[in-house]
Amino acid sequence: MTIVDVRDALADRRRYESRIERLHQRHLLTGRLHELRQDDVSLASVVLARGRVARLLARDVAAGRYALEPGELRTIRARGKLREVYSCRLTDLLVHGVVADVVAQALEPALSARVFSYRPGRSWWQPVAQFAAWLRATRRGQAPGSRGVYVLRGDVDSYTDSIPLGPGSPLWPMLTGALGPLPPLVTEVVRTTLRVPGGGLATRVRGLPMGQPIAPVIANRYLADLDNALDPALAAVPGGFYARYGDDFLFAHADVDAARSAAATIDAVLRGLGLTVNARKRRVLYLTPPGRPSGDWPEATGAPAVAFLGMRVHAGGVVGLDPPKVRALLREVDRRTAATVATLGRTDPDRLGRAVCAVVNRTLTPRAALTEQRSAAALREIVTDREQLRQLDHRIALIAACAISGRRGPRAFRTVGYRRMRREWGLASLVATRNARGRA
């Protein structure tokens, strides 16, 4: 492995300019462009003077003069959960980002091809689609009556909060192996210092600084031993499937002995890293279309499908949205159609119908960054469950009909015809779009 010259990399002003531009793009359409500030200097001002700011930061870091200030822990609500994130001043945020970029570049060659999280050109839905394809191929190669596979699903218990950062942590050899001797700045970014109530300071000995760009970089690398142990390309028994996104992993194999061995390997590797599997989310399944149990491994629960990364993958290789994502999608469609009616009123039914259907279409169109719903990409890219898509088509059309007509329930179709929405107002069909893309 080629060791990155970390000191030269941290002295490159172009990296700081790039980080400033990334912050600019991230907050371009929000008030944070002017709210993020340090000593009365806003991010907007930093963007305007990006060349000079980048040059000064690179110079001070290269000379060893730049000192990070202690950060603070703040509680935010993200995706319905309260989370503690590390907050720091604006220039420290830029330096944290550059250090993360350098470390990520150095660690990339050590990452398995089976890791899909936080890497350019990779997406969360790719391992789901690949697992579904593997299931279809595996079933074709099995004799009728024995078409089952063993699936190990789990995530690491409090993963990013549990990674040890003390002197004896396995993390430090991982970093020095790619970066050589670590400059103090790199160590300080990974093992942050915090202000604590009462005015004191504390340095972390366990847990990554969540909310900072170094956290996903370290999270990808720290489980490399697990990735290498379960990667089918490196396994003693070929033919299995493995994928990881963050701390969420899935291993599958048609051979019961290979699955048992993988289960023991998972526990052993995590124990050596000072981690454990989340017991509440651990699943050992025997996947078959009827969900029958395994006669060879009674502890494996018979199941017709497995949840993975917010999707539901059926034993036959069909992929659908899991129930929480379906509910979130329908709530969002309902919210947006109601907002459209509130804006336009019901004075012109034809104009309103076209507007509501256009809003629904934008909600379900991936790559429309400002308007798409979270599940839009999954619906277009990997959801192949036609029955679910047909149900969603009907339920979404009903929501639109209720919004346009002002009536509740299926009687809304008496006022706003289903075919009219499709043919005249252009309401897109999810199942038709999927059929146009192919069989899988």
Side-chain angles (χ1 to χ4, degrees), residues 22-39:
R22 286 162 73 174
L23 272 183
H24 180 209
Q25 293 302 318
R26 180 179 177 184
H27 299 295
L28 183 59
L29 300 178
T30 73
R32 298 282 286 168
L33 198 60
H34 297 278
E35 292 169 2
L36 271 175
R37 55 181 57 243
Q38 177 179 328
D39 298 331

Side-chain angles (χ1 to χ4, degrees), residues 156-165 206-208 222 273-275:
V156 181
D157 193 18
S158 303
Y159 177 44
T160 52
D161 290 331
S162 300
I163 294 177
L165 301 177
R206 185 175 291 273
L208 299 176
Y222 195 68
L273 294 171
L275 305 170

Side-chain angles (χ1 to χ4, degrees), residues 239-324:
F241 178 88
Y242 172 72
R244 176 168 69 88
Y245 192 96
D247 66 335
D248 203 338
F249 60 86
L250 181 147
F251 176 86
H253 208 290
D255 182 79
V256 65
D257 293 329
R260 286 180 185 271
S261 176
T265 296
I266 291 169
D267 288 334
V269 170
L270 293 183
R271 188 163 51 248
L273 294 171
L275 305 170
T276 59
V277 176
N278 186 328
R280 292 187 300 107
K281 297 183 179 180
R282 185 170 198 157
R283 300 289 183 270
V284 179
L285 305 174
Y286 184 58
L287 207 60
T288 66
R292 67 174 183 269
S294 167
D296 296 323
W297 193 2
E299 292 82 0
T301 303
V306 58
F308 184 42
L309 298 178
M311 308 302 292
R312 186 170 174 81
V313 186
H314 296 262
V318 173
V319 180
L321 293 177
D322 68 359

Side-chain angles (χ1 to χ4, degrees), residues 155 195 228 234 305 312 434:
D155 61 29
R195 299 187 190 278
N228 294 333
L234 306 175
R312 186 170 174 81
R434 165 48 60 190

Side-chain angles (χ1 to χ4, degrees), residues 37-363:
R37 55 181 57 243
Q38 177 179 328
D39 298 331
D40 293 328
V41 178
S42 68
L43 173 58
S45 299
V46 170
V47 169
L48 291 174
R50 72 188 72 182
R52 181 168 181 269
V53 172
R55 186 170 61 254
L56 292 174
L57 283 174
R59 183 195 66 189
D60 285 356
V61 169
R65 291 194 298 267
Y66 191 88
L68 296 170
E69 284 195 357
E72 297 179 352
L73 284 181
R74 294 183 178 176
T75 301
I76 65 169
R77 181 173 291 277
R79 298 186 183 181
K81 297 181 179 179
L82 293 177
R83 301 183 186 276
E84 279 193 334
V85 297
Y86 176 89
S87 175
C88 59
R89 63 179 180 172
L90 182 54
T91 52
D92 285 357
L93 184 61
L94 296 171
V95 172
H96 271 261
V98 171
V99 170
D101 291 341
V102 173
V103 173
Q105 178 186 343
L107 295 180
E108 178 64 25
L111 297 183
S112 166
R114 306 310 304 156
V115 178
F116 293 85
S117 44
Y118 319 115
R119 300 174 74 179
R122 295 179 179 236
S123 172
W124 65 268
W125 57 263
Q126 290 174 326
V128 179
Q130 291 179 16
F131 178 49
W134 179 87
L135 283 173
R136 294 193 295 271
T138 300
R139 279 180 56 79
R140 286 195 295 269
Q142 292 178 315
S146 61
R147 290 177 174 173
V149 298
Y150 297 92
V151 177
L152 309 178
R153 271 281 294 110
D155 61 29
V156 181
D157 193 18
S158 303
Y159 177 44
T160 52
D161 290 331
S162 300
I163 294 177
L165 301 177
S169 170
L171 174 62
W172 304 117
M174 297 177 189
L175 294 180
T176 55
L179 294 159
L182 299 180
L185 181 63
V186 174
T187 304
E188 291 168 14
V189 165
V190 175
R191 188 173 58 200
T192 51
T193 298
L194 299 166
R195 299 187 190 278
V196 296
L201 301 177
T203 300
R204 285 179 176 270
V205 293
R206 185 175 291 273
L208 299 176
M210 293 308 297
Q212 294 302 314
I214 195 65
V217 173
I218 300 301
N220 268 1
R221 176 62 180 88
Y222 195 68
L223 288 177
D225 288 350
L226 180 68
D227 304 327
N228 294 333
L230 299 181
D231 187 338
L234 306 175
V237 180
F241 178 88
Y242 172 72
R244 176 168 69 88
Y245 192 96
D247 66 335
D248 203 338
F249 60 86
L250 181 147
F251 176 86
H253 208 290
D255 182 79
V256 65
D257 293 329
R260 286 180 185 271
S261 176
T265 296
I266 291 169
D267 288 334
V269 170
L270 293 183
R271 188 163 51 248
L273 294 171
L275 305 170
T276 59
V277 176
N278 186 328
R280 292 187 300 107
K281 297 183 179 180
R282 185 170 198 157
R283 300 289 183 270
V284 179
L285 305 174
Y286 184 58
L287 207 60
T288 66
R292 67 174 183 269
S294 167
D296 296 323
W297 193 2
E299 292 82 0
T301 303
V306 58
F308 184 42
L309 298 178
M311 308 302 292
R312 186 170 174 81
V313 186
H314 296 262
V318 173
V319 180
L321 293 177
D322 68 359
K325 273 190 165 56
V326 170
R327 291 192 292 270
L329 169 66
L330 296 176
R331 282 196 302 268
E332 184 66 6
V333 171
D334 188 43
R335 184 188 70 81
R336 295 189 187 193
T337 55
T340 303
V341 172
T343 300
L344 297 180
R346 293 194 176 86
T347 54
D348 185 344
D350 186 72
R351 175 171 175 256
L352 178 61
R354 294 180 186 279
V356 166
C357 290
V359 165
V360 172
N361 290 346
R362 285 196 296 272
T363 302

Side-chain angles (χ1 to χ4, degrees), residues 388-410:
Q388 184 182 67
L389 291 175
R390 277 190 285 270
Q391 292 176 5
L392 283 173
D393 273 344
H394 184 271
R395 295 174 72 178
I396 289 170
L398 179 58
I399 291 172
C402 291
I404 297 166
S405 67
R407 307 181 75 177
R408 307 305 301 173

